[in-house]
Structure formats: structure tokens, C-alpha cells
Amino acid sequence: MTAVVHHPQSLRGPRPVVVLAHGLWYTCAGETMGWPCPEGTPPTRSYTGYDYLAKALAEQGFVAVSVGVNGINAGELGTSADMARAALVNKHLEMLRDANDGKGPLAAPLRALRGKLDLTNVGLMGHSRGGRGVVWQAADIHAADLPRGVRLRAAVPLAPADYHVSDPDSPEHLNYPSHRSRSRCWPATATGVWP
């Protein structure tokens, strides 16, 4: 569990939360794939790649959390990775919820955010494979997977890696669409809007 948190300098009132998830990339220095990294080889800090975006969001009043997914990137691709990315985001949201209540392992490190997170106003952004995980998370069929007290308001998959199902009514396809009024999903790609 690795992440970086950016927040506004002024924390008056509960602030909306945005979780950022990077895509598939080498997990360890020297363009190495594997997890954990070999001894003496530092992990790639892909989760810091969105610092520029997280800082801009913080300046606009959001609490932005960019999560690391190296352990997932080292595994298999496809639906199982999408599920793992969604579960990772849920775990981070659960830990943020607990920290907001002054509990859990992040209570001390994030004490400045205690009572300042509006977890009923959460947005997700994922790039590439992270976009697939975001779409999985936002799908109607997975609404019950969100941690108690968390409400997803938006999901933005940025250039999500495509998935293929030969039958649009197949169970694999149904794991991704979201039509709820409680959240919106805008999965734009270079070739158009999906699905």
C-alpha cells in the first residue's frame, strides 16, 4: 500500500477526494518487472507521476491521493487486474475514511485531514490499465464493493486500455458499464467513447 496525498493549504470544511491510479509500467528500476523488486533494486515510483495533477487539484480544494499499483502491474493482465485495482482503491478509501474518523494506521500521518474529508464526494481517475480499473470500480454491478460511507460521484478513465468481448451481453461486459445517477463515467479514448 503506497500513495502520496496532496491537500489544500486551507482545510476549512470537508473537502472532496480524488483518487488517481497510474497505468501499466515497469515495477522496478532498470525496466524490471516483478514484485517485490529484487534486492538492491528500488521500486518505480509511478504513483508520483501525477504530482502535477494532484497539486493542481489541491489548489482547487480537492484532496488528491495517487496510489501505487506496482504489485498489480507485476501480475497478470485483464479482468483479474481490473478487480485488483478496484480492490486497492477501495482499501485506500477505507483507510482514508478511518483516518478521517481518527482511527487506523493513517490516523497519525494524516491527522491534519481528520474530519476534513468528504468521502460522500469521491472521484476516480485512472490512466490506461488504471482506466480499466476505474471503469470496473464505477460499474453498477460493483456498487456494493465501495467501503461503507463512501459515495462515488465521478470516474474518468483516461485513455483506458481496451477490452474485448465478442458478445456485448456476456458477463465480462456487464462488469464495466455504469448508468447510475450517483456517478458518471466518461471513458473517452482516441477512437471515441466506450462502451
Side-chain angles (χ1 to χ4, degrees):
M1 297 285 298
T2 305
V4 61
V5 178
H6 295 270
H7 62 80
Q9 290 183 358
S10 171
L11 286 169
R12 283 178 274 150
R15 309 307 314 158
V17 176
V18 177
V19 179
L20 309 170
H22 65 83
L24 180 64
W25 191 247
Y26 298 105
T27 57
C28 308
E31 297 187 350
T32 303
M33 283 302 261
W35 199 254
C37 294
E39 189 172 331
T41 305
T44 303
R45 296 170 40 97
S46 294
Y47 62 94
T48 64
Y50 289 118
D51 280 352
Y52 70 96
L53 176 58
K55 288 175 184 175
L57 287 167
E59 289 172 3
Q60 297 299 313
F62 294 89
V63 173
V65 181
S66 184
V67 301
V69 295
N70 284 348
I72 296 167
N73 281 347
E76 63 182 274
L77 300 177
T79 301
S80 61
D82 301 340
M83 292 168 53
R85 287 174 187 276
L88 178 72
V89 166
N90 282 339
K91 185 61 179 173
H92 279 279
L93 288 168
E94 181 182 304
M95 291 172 64
L96 288 168
R97 179 201 63 206
D98 290 348
N100 194 49
D101 294 338
K103 300 183 276 190
L106 297 179
L110 297 181
R111 67 182 155 272
L113 299 179
R114 185 176 181 180
K116 304 296 184 185
L117 302 176
D118 180 0
L119 291 162
T120 65
N121 196 7
V122 173
L124 307 176
M125 188 287 291
H127 174 250
S128 190
R129 296 281 172 182
R132 283 179 56 118
V134 162
V135 172
W136 176 280
Q137 179 65 28
D140 293 338
I141 197 169
H142 305 124
D145 297 343
L146 285 168
R148 177 188 44 78
V150 173
R151 188 165 180 196
L152 184 60
R153 297 291 187 162
V156 179
L158 179 62
D162 203 3
Y163 77 100
H164 172 75
V165 290
S166 56
D167 176 6
D169 294 323
S170 72
E172 293 84 12
H173 179 72
L174 298 176
N175 281 321
Y176 295 88
S178 178
H179 305 290
R180 289 172 277 178
S181 61
R182 71 175 191 80
S183 68
R184 299 283 185 242
C185 183
W186 298 279
T189 66
T191 59
V193 176
W194 164 93

